[in-house]
Tab-separated table of all heavy atoms in Angstrom:
chain	number	residue	atom	x	y	z
A	264	GLY	N	-11.852	-13.378	14.823
A	264	GLY	CA	-11.932	-12.463	15.960
A	264	GLY	C	-13.350	-12.183	16.393
A	264	GLY	O	-13.660	-12.136	17.600
A	265	GLU	N	-14.256	-11.993	15.428
A	265	GLU	CA	-15.651	-11.712	15.759
A	265	GLU	C	-16.281	-12.867	16.536
A	265	GLU	O	-17.059	-12.655	17.475
A	265	GLU	CB	-16.456	-11.467	14.479
A	265	GLU	CG	-16.133	-10.172	13.780
A	265	GLU	CD	-16.725	-10.103	12.388
A	265	GLU	OE1	-17.196	-11.150	11.875
A	265	GLU	OE2	-16.709	-9.016	11.803
A	266	ARG	N	-15.953	-14.071	16.114
A	266	ARG	CA	-16.528	-15.233	16.766
A	266	ARG	C	-15.815	-15.567	18.069
A	266	ARG	O	-16.344	-16.316	18.896
A	266	ARG	CB	-16.462	-16.433	15.800
A	266	ARG	CG	-17.477	-16.321	14.681
A	266	ARG	CD	-17.044	-17.036	13.406
A	266	ARG	NE	-18.085	-16.941	12.393
A	266	ARG	CZ	-18.349	-15.848	11.688
A	266	ARG	NH1	-17.631	-14.752	11.874
A	266	ARG	NH2	-19.329	-15.847	10.795
A	267	GLY	N	-14.609	-15.024	18.245
A	267	GLY	CA	-13.825	-15.303	19.423
A	267	GLY	C	-13.885	-14.188	20.447
A	267	GLY	O	-14.956	-13.834	20.959
A	268	CYS	N	-12.723	-13.590	20.746
A	268	CYS	CA	-12.624	-12.632	21.858
A	268	CYS	C	-13.449	-11.370	21.670
A	268	CYS	O	-13.818	-10.727	22.656
A	268	CYS	CB	-11.156	-12.238	22.051
A	268	CYS	SG	-10.145	-13.538	22.756
A	269	LEU	N	-13.733	-10.981	20.431
A	269	LEU	CA	-14.436	-9.716	20.216
A	269	LEU	C	-15.913	-9.797	20.557
A	269	LEU	O	-16.487	-8.832	21.061
A	269	LEU	CB	-14.266	-9.254	18.770
A	269	LEU	CG	-12.824	-9.015	18.310
A	269	LEU	CD1	-12.794	-8.538	16.864
A	269	LEU	CD2	-12.125	-8.014	19.213
A	270	MET	N	-16.550	-10.909	20.260
A	270	MET	CA	-17.998	-10.990	20.489
A	270	MET	C	-18.410	-12.348	21.062
A	270	MET	O	-18.762	-12.463	22.219
A	270	MET	CB	-18.762	-10.699	19.187
A	270	MET	CG	-18.630	-9.263	18.710
A	270	MET	SD	-19.478	-8.960	17.135
A	270	MET	CE	-21.185	-9.175	17.616
A	271	GLY	N	-18.369	-13.390	20.232
A	271	GLY	CA	-18.906	-14.692	20.643
A	271	GLY	C	-18.220	-15.259	21.878
A	271	GLY	O	-18.875	-15.701	22.831
A	272	GLY	N	-16.900	-15.280	21.861
A	272	GLY	CA	-16.160	-15.869	22.962
A	272	GLY	C	-16.350	-15.125	24.273
A	272	GLY	O	-16.565	-15.728	25.332
A	273	ILE	N	-16.277	-13.796	24.185
A	273	ILE	CA	-16.400	-13.023	25.424
A	273	ILE	C	-17.822	-13.076	25.973
A	273	ILE	O	-18.029	-13.106	27.180
A	273	ILE	CB	-15.937	-11.565	25.196
A	273	ILE	CG1	-15.586	-10.931	26.546
A	273	ILE	CG2	-16.955	-10.734	24.441
A	273	ILE	CD1	-14.821	-9.642	26.442
A	274	HIS	N	-18.825	-13.143	25.064
A	274	HIS	CA	-20.210	-13.283	25.531
A	274	HIS	C	-20.379	-14.616	26.253
A	274	HIS	O	-20.989	-14.687	27.332
A	274	HIS	CB	-21.171	-13.171	24.357
A	274	HIS	CG	-22.597	-13.113	24.757
A	274	HIS	ND1	-23.634	-13.328	23.879
A	274	HIS	CD2	-23.193	-12.895	25.957
A	274	HIS	CE1	-24.787	-13.222	24.504
A	274	HIS	NE2	-24.543	-12.960	25.769
A	275	GLY	N	-19.830	-15.675	25.660
A	275	GLY	CA	-19.926	-16.983	26.295
A	275	GLY	C	-19.234	-17.012	27.653
A	275	GLY	O	-19.733	-17.623	28.606
A	276	MET	N	-18.080	-16.339	27.756
A	276	MET	CA	-17.354	-16.289	29.023
A	276	MET	C	-18.143	-15.523	30.085
A	276	MET	O	-18.248	-15.953	31.238
A	276	MET	CB	-16.006	-15.634	28.808
A	276	MET	CG	-15.125	-15.604	30.050
A	276	MET	SD	-13.540	-14.800	29.764
A	276	MET	CE	-14.074	-13.083	29.590
A	277	PHE	N	-18.719	-14.367	29.683
A	277	PHE	CA	-19.545	-13.612	30.624
A	277	PHE	C	-20.696	-14.482	31.159
A	277	PHE	O	-20.963	-14.514	32.360
A	277	PHE	CB	-20.132	-12.376	29.931
A	277	PHE	CG	-19.195	-11.212	29.801
A	277	PHE	CD1	-19.420	-10.233	28.839
A	277	PHE	CD2	-18.096	-11.064	30.631
A	277	PHE	CE1	-18.573	-9.145	28.711
A	277	PHE	CE2	-17.229	-9.985	30.517
A	277	PHE	CZ	-17.468	-9.022	29.550
A	278	LEU	N	-21.384	-15.163	30.234
A	278	LEU	CA	-22.538	-15.970	30.641
A	278	LEU	C	-22.119	-17.078	31.591
A	278	LEU	O	-22.788	-17.338	32.601
A	278	LEU	CB	-23.211	-16.578	29.405
A	278	LEU	CG	-24.001	-15.615	28.510
A	278	LEU	CD1	-24.494	-16.352	27.275
A	278	LEU	CD2	-25.166	-15.005	29.264
A	279	ALA	N	-21.015	-17.756	31.288
A	279	ALA	CA	-20.570	-18.864	32.133
A	279	ALA	C	-20.259	-18.374	33.535
A	279	ALA	O	-20.676	-18.994	34.534
A	279	ALA	CB	-19.340	-19.533	31.507
A	280	GLN	N	-19.517	-17.286	33.662
A	280	GLN	CA	-19.153	-16.790	34.994
A	280	GLN	C	-20.388	-16.315	35.744
A	280	GLN	O	-20.551	-16.599	36.941
A	280	GLN	CB	-18.136	-15.650	34.893
A	280	GLN	CG	-17.775	-15.064	36.255
A	280	GLN	CD	-16.545	-14.188	36.229
A	280	GLN	OE1	-15.512	-14.580	35.712
A	280	GLN	NE2	-16.659	-12.992	36.803
Side-chain angles (χ1 to χ4, degrees):
E265 290 168 348
R266 286 152 177 76
C268 288
L269 300 181
M270 292 177 67
I273 200 166
H274 188 195
M276 183 181 71
F277 280 158
L278 288 175
Q280 177 165 310

